[in-house]
Amino acid sequence: MFKLSCLILLPLVSLFLSASCGRVQSEDISGIISRDLFNRMLKHSNDAACPAKGFYTYDAFIAAAKSFCSFGTTGDIATRKREIAAFLGQTSHETTGGCASSPDGPYAWGYCFRQQNGNPGDYCVANQQWPCSPGKKYYGRGPMQISYNYNYGPAGRAIGYNLLRNPDAVATDPVISFKTALWFWMTPQSPKPSCHSVITEQWTPSNEDSDAGRVLGYGVITNIINGGIECGKPTPSQVQDRIGFYKRYCDLLHVGYGNNLECSDQLSFA
């Protein structure tokens, strides 16, 4: 997962997912997050200054979420709201174009980028199960900036699309893009729990987790995503950014933040 650059603005300017959801989904997150609210949360994502303008749409988000029927529908209404806020908070950090001096503040500029900036490498490592396709690159793309062939492979299998053959789909098809981020969110990768199980409080920390300071809360999600760089030290700017987005979205959803938002006292997962 990669921190993308701040925009400088001129003045005035596994298994198929449907199987787990069944034939009919009883609940839909559109009852919690409306189109208007989504657009207010991602206030500047369609600004001309954002390279991803027009890509991350509400309809794509809702369509992708329907393939992960437990997302935003688990627990009581407060838990459901917090999960949506947490997902959008973490992914807004991954795709942010905001700075402290940006109009409306840094936390109104999530979802400005659809892929890693510059001329990234191929992010291909030797892996018999998930071999790279010739000439393809697996750098950060989409809301979660999914990277490396060993993530593109299982994500593609889970959503029913060969992302090893066509990784660019994560930056060209908005539904696929959101699905890869939700796949990462919903899928445990041992020894890490899933982000979903943490925010819905279905995860029970082991003795090893407790000894390492990893307790239920938003901070463990940051640890899951990028703990080796951001956790176990005085709170760096990246963590502050993740928390800032999350708090703004919780406020818009009228829900409390919960406990343990930081990860400064947590060891990263092995």
Side-chain angles (χ1 to χ4, degrees):
M1 314 312 165
F2 297 89
K3 177 68 165 64
L4 298 170
S5 60
C6 168
L7 293 172
I8 305 300
L9 302 181
L10 296 175
L12 300 179
V13 257
S14 38
L15 294 173
F16 242 82
L17 301 171
S18 57
S20 65
C21 288
R23 296 178 62 184
V24 178
Q25 184 172 338
S26 60
E27 298 182 80
D28 187 317
I29 63 169
S30 62
I32 296 175
I33 179 168
S34 66
R35 186 184 304 274
D36 176 69
L37 180 54
F38 179 86
N39 290 333
R40 282 191 286 137
M41 294 169 100
L42 310 184
K43 186 171 183 178
H44 289 286
S45 63
N46 289 319
D47 193 279
C50 284
K53 177 184 178 182
F55 183 68
Y56 295 114
T57 65
Y58 176 76
D59 290 336
F61 176 57
I62 296 300
K66 288 180 178 178
S67 291
F68 296 85
C69 53
S70 296
F71 173 74
T73 64
T74 300
D76 61 19
I77 189 62
T79 300
R80 298 173 192 180
K81 287 181 175 182
R82 267 193 292 272
E83 178 165 28
I84 293 170
F87 173 81
L88 291 176
Q90 293 286 353
T91 51
S92 287
H93 166 76
E94 297 291 340
T95 57
T96 185
C99 301
S101 59
S102 298
D104 300 308
Y107 310 129
W109 288 85
Y111 283 75
C112 271
F113 292 90
R114 66 176 86 180
Q115 61 189 22
Q116 192 176 343
N117 290 330
N119 184 27
D122 59 19
Y123 288 82
C124 173
V125 297
N127 189 298
Q128 290 185 344
Q129 185 176 10
W130 310 112
C132 302
S133 294
K136 299 301 182 181
K137 293 185 176 184
Y138 304 96
Y139 53 79
R141 298 180 178 91
M144 196 60 81
Q145 291 292 285
I146 185 175
S147 53
Y148 289 100
N149 50 302
Y150 55 74
N151 280 319
Y152 276 82
R157 183 178 67 177
I159 68 174
Y161 187 92
N162 192 336
L163 291 175
L164 289 175
R165 183 179 301 167
N166 184 21
D168 289 326
V170 182
T172 58
D173 185 314
V175 176
I176 287 176
S177 195
F178 272 115
K179 281 184 177 181
T180 62
L182 286 164
W183 166 81
F184 183 92
W185 185 264
M186 302 296 293
T187 305
Q189 299 187 44
S190 183
K192 300 177 181 180
S194 70
C195 302
H196 168 75
S197 68
V198 171
I199 200 66
T200 58
E201 300 188 357
Q202 295 179 316
W203 173 60
T204 301
S206 66
N207 290 335
E208 182 179 356
D209 289 316
S210 297
D211 290 343
R214 297 188 294 261
V215 294
L216 282 168
Y218 186 74
V220 170
I221 297 174
T222 298
N223 201 332
I224 291 169
I225 295 171
N226 206 25
I229 294 176
E230 299 179 20
C231 298
K233 62 187 71 174
T235 303
S237 60
Q238 300 100 308
V239 174
Q240 293 172 358
D241 196 61
R242 294 178 191 275
I243 294 171
F245 276 113
Y246 173 63
K247 285 185 171 180
R248 177 172 178 267
Y249 297 156
C250 283
D251 289 345
L252 286 169
L253 284 162
H254 304 291
V255 67
Y257 309 141
N259 299 318
N260 305 312
L261 304 189
E262 300 186 7
C263 61
S264 57
D265 295 330
Q266 299 179 18
L267 298 179
S268 62
F269 288 92

